Amino acid sequence: MMKKVKNEDHFDIVEDHYFTATELEKSSAIWPVRLGMDISKTSCHVGPKAVPYFYFNFVLEGQAEFIYQYKRYRVQKSDLFCFFPHHAHEYYTDRENPLQKVWIAFEGPKSLALLERIGIKPSSPFMANAVSEEILELISNLFSIVHDSSRQGSDLARLITLHQIFEELSRNTSDALRSLAGSDYWLQQGKDYIDMHYCDRITIEQIAEHVGVDRAHFSRKFHSTFLISPAKYLQNLKINEAKRLLEKTTYNLSIIAQSIGYTDMSTFSKAFKKIAGIPPREYRFRHQSRQEIRTANA
């Protein structure tokens, strides 16, 4: 699904397309969620503001000063700047050289890992001279997919082109830059470990040991990168799974508690109420009541 919108605030929006990810896309490492192009009307100040996804900003023409995590970056034609989700950014466009850029927003479980492969992370979100002729051609292909009515629903074409853009950017990334950006790759490994084993009785100490750092350092880096503590992230995954089991199964609460790694009912019930706002038994009752109402009205 896709829509095109206009915005006349600071920029002339040439194009702006939103995508609804398909099941195929959501099973991939990354997938596109937005594609667009804009031209600044004159010198202007945008932000500070945050975005919900990862954003590639490819500068086609003009100049601007981007401010990100208290650092300033002077960007110009052929440069690439990446926004990270929930991290505030702002920028000033140049009066004499109006900014024209293409943006590609994306998300997915391997977004950080793929960005590190091209030398980009929150502390180094900028690449000079990244927009090669090959990149421009791939960006053009992505717009062509959108414009071709027979291919607008081609999730596979979108996926392939986005991955090709990463591949092309990776070709132009030095081993030194890639190594520097990947120095915190253990953090993504830790998050992946939580995603895989959250139903087990794992601890933050065990996760930190798995990736080879101490617990305090792991917790600090996790919170600064993902804006949530690893303990809270782990607990949220457990409670979300508990909600699913309460909604989709008839398992008793003891079985559900053990299924998500809690050793006793009391600890599980307290954790569930803290996150969901109500005890697990009441959550199941409310869900069943809503289902019965929907069935009766069908």
Side-chain angles (χ1 to χ4, degrees):
M1 184 176 178
M2 176 192 67
K3 64 179 179 180
K4 183 175 178 179
V5 300
K6 291 282 187 179
N7 183 328
E8 300 297 335
D9 187 6
H10 296 298
F11 294 88
D12 285 323
I13 306 297
V14 180
E15 295 191 48
D16 192 356
H17 306 276
Y18 289 82
F19 306 108
T20 299
T22 65
E23 289 303 313
L24 172 63
E25 289 175 301
K26 289 181 179 180
S27 68
S28 303
I30 53 168
W31 58 87
V33 295
R34 189 179 179 189
L35 170 69
M37 181 188 301
D38 60 34
I39 304 172
S40 61
K41 296 178 178 178
T42 181
S43 59
C44 64
H45 174 215
V46 177
K49 66 177 185 178
V51 290
Y53 309 112
F54 296 89
Y55 267 75
F56 274 157
N57 293 276
F58 298 96
V59 179
L60 305 182
E61 297 288 347
Q63 296 181 356
E65 183 179 60
F66 282 66
I67 303 172
Y68 197 73
Q69 294 196 340
Y70 308 107
K71 295 182 181 179
R72 294 176 179 267
Y73 302 85
R74 190 68 182 176
V75 301
Q76 57 188 358
K77 180 178 179 179
S78 299
D79 291 345
L80 165 64
F81 200 93
C82 183
F83 297 152
F84 285 75
H86 312 302
H87 287 213
H89 67 269
E90 61 182 309
Y91 57 94
Y92 295 83
T93 63
D94 190 277
R95 179 183 297 274
E96 302 300 325
N97 299 282
L99 184 68
Q100 180 179 351
K101 58 183 170 63
V102 166
W103 67 83
I104 301 174
F106 57 93
E107 62 178 333
K110 297 301 181 181
S111 296
L112 285 172
L114 286 171
L115 285 169
E116 287 179 352
R117 291 186 66 171
I118 63 174
I120 285 182
K121 61 179 181 177
S123 60
S124 54
F126 171 72
M127 286 182 68
N129 300 313
V131 188
S132 63
E133 290 298 323
E134 290 78 11
I135 292 293
L136 287 175
E137 183 176 349
L138 289 168
I139 291 173
S140 178
N141 288 345
L142 200 52
F143 277 105
S144 295
I145 294 168
V146 171
H147 296 153
D148 187 343
S149 59
S150 66
R151 302 179 70 198
Q152 284 180 358
S154 180
D155 51 2
L156 187 57
R158 293 196 301 263
L159 275 178
I160 291 172
T161 306
L162 180 59
H163 283 76
Q164 286 177 326
I165 288 173
F166 269 91
E167 169 63 16
E168 191 58 41
L169 289 170
S170 180
R171 290 175 185 268
N172 299 323
T173 303
S174 68
D175 290 338
L177 183 59
R178 186 180 293 111
S179 176
L180 180 63
S183 61
D184 291 343
Y185 182 64
W186 55 266
L187 187 60
Q188 182 63 41
Q189 288 182 309
K191 183 174 179 293
D192 290 343
Y193 189 83
I194 297 175
D195 291 340
M196 183 177 297
H197 298 287
Y198 68 89
C199 283
D200 301 328
R201 295 171 186 173
I202 59 174
T203 65
I204 304 305
E205 287 84 0
Q206 290 172 330
I207 299 163
E209 182 179 355
H210 174 73
V211 298
V213 299
D214 67 78
R215 182 189 186 282
H217 183 56
F218 177 78
S219 295
R220 283 195 301 270
K221 290 291 293 183
F222 193 101
H223 188 275
S224 65
T225 300
F226 301 114
L227 306 182
I228 187 173
S229 71
K232 184 67 175 293
Y233 181 76
L234 173 61
Q235 190 176 56
N236 284 347
L237 289 176
K238 288 177 177 290
I239 299 307
N240 286 339
E241 177 63 10
K243 289 179 179 179
R244 188 189 71 81
L245 292 173
L246 288 166
E247 294 172 8
K248 303 295 184 182
T249 74
T250 58
Y251 297 158
N252 64 45
L253 299 188
S254 178
I255 292 176
I256 291 176
Q258 293 180 42
S259 297
I260 60 173
Y262 284 95
T263 56
D264 63 88
M265 273 292 301
S266 176
T267 303
F268 165 62
S269 294
K270 288 179 181 178
F272 189 97
K273 185 175 181 180
K274 183 177 180 180
I275 299 296
I278 55 176
R281 198 180 305 277
E282 184 176 348
Y283 181 90
R284 170 174 273 172
F285 175 76
R286 289 187 183 183
H287 176 76
Q288 290 174 342
S289 297
R290 288 194 297 268
Q291 286 290 93
E292 289 171 0
I293 292 172
R294 282 195 290 266
T295 301
N297 293 334

